[in-house]
Amino acid sequence: MHRRLATGLTTGLTAAALAVTTVVATAATADAAPSDKAQVLASWTRTSASSYNSWTAARANQSAWSAYGFDWTTDYCSSSPDNPFGFPFSTSCARHDFGYRNYKDAGTFSANKSRVDSAFYEDLKRVCARYGGATKAACNSTAWTYYQAVKVFG
């Protein structure tokens, strides 16, 4: 009788443990980011204008992307002016922060830093393309300086 009771108790505990494990695994799966998170992140951190535009649209509707668990926080251009000499660099800096934060979270920062920095520079040059003459030259010079700073210190 004791042996039967012990066997039944062990079987019951094993079944309970299995049930708890299944619930925990199911909850973890439900909380996990979609399987294409890395691809979405890569698509939003390319150098193209379409990548920039896709990211800005997603940023404006972050709740639609909440399942991905992206880090949208930003300090914009860190300790540098967000709009140096009146050039609106803040959104470019926010996208750069997005790339850095999310690739660090993914553990793939070093493999992607150069591309994120290059995308930042392209974004800045697109800002500068709105200007002409000496203003454009000053903007491009400032963009180059910001790019060199993140490339070296980022």
Side-chain angles (χ1 to χ4, degrees), residues 35-108:
S35 62
D36 66 339
K37 182 176 180 176
Q39 290 82 8
V40 172
L41 178 56
S43 75
W44 288 346
T45 55
R46 292 194 171 105
T47 59
S48 66
S50 63
S51 174
Y52 175 86
N53 292 336
S54 294
W55 177 81
T56 55
R59 182 177 185 228
N61 190 17
Q62 293 174 27
S63 62
W65 299 94
S66 63
Y68 287 79
F70 288 123
D71 182 348
W72 297 92
T73 63
T74 184
D75 64 358
Y76 295 97
C77 300
S78 301
S79 58
S80 300
D82 297 337
N83 300 297
F85 310 111
F87 304 125
F89 286 176
S90 60
T91 303
S92 302
C93 291
R95 185 164 90 121
H96 188 253
D97 284 349
F98 177 85
Y100 269 38
R101 284 167 170 71
N102 286 285
Y103 281 117
K104 285 178 182 178
D105 287 349
T108 57

Side-chain angles (χ1 to χ4, degrees), residues 17-32:
L18 180 60
V20 168
T21 302
T22 301
V23 168
V24 170
T26 302
T29 303
D31 291 341

Side-chain angles (χ1 to χ4, degrees), residues 8-22:
L9 185 58
T10 302
T11 302
L13 289 175
T14 302
L18 180 60
V20 168
T21 302
T22 301

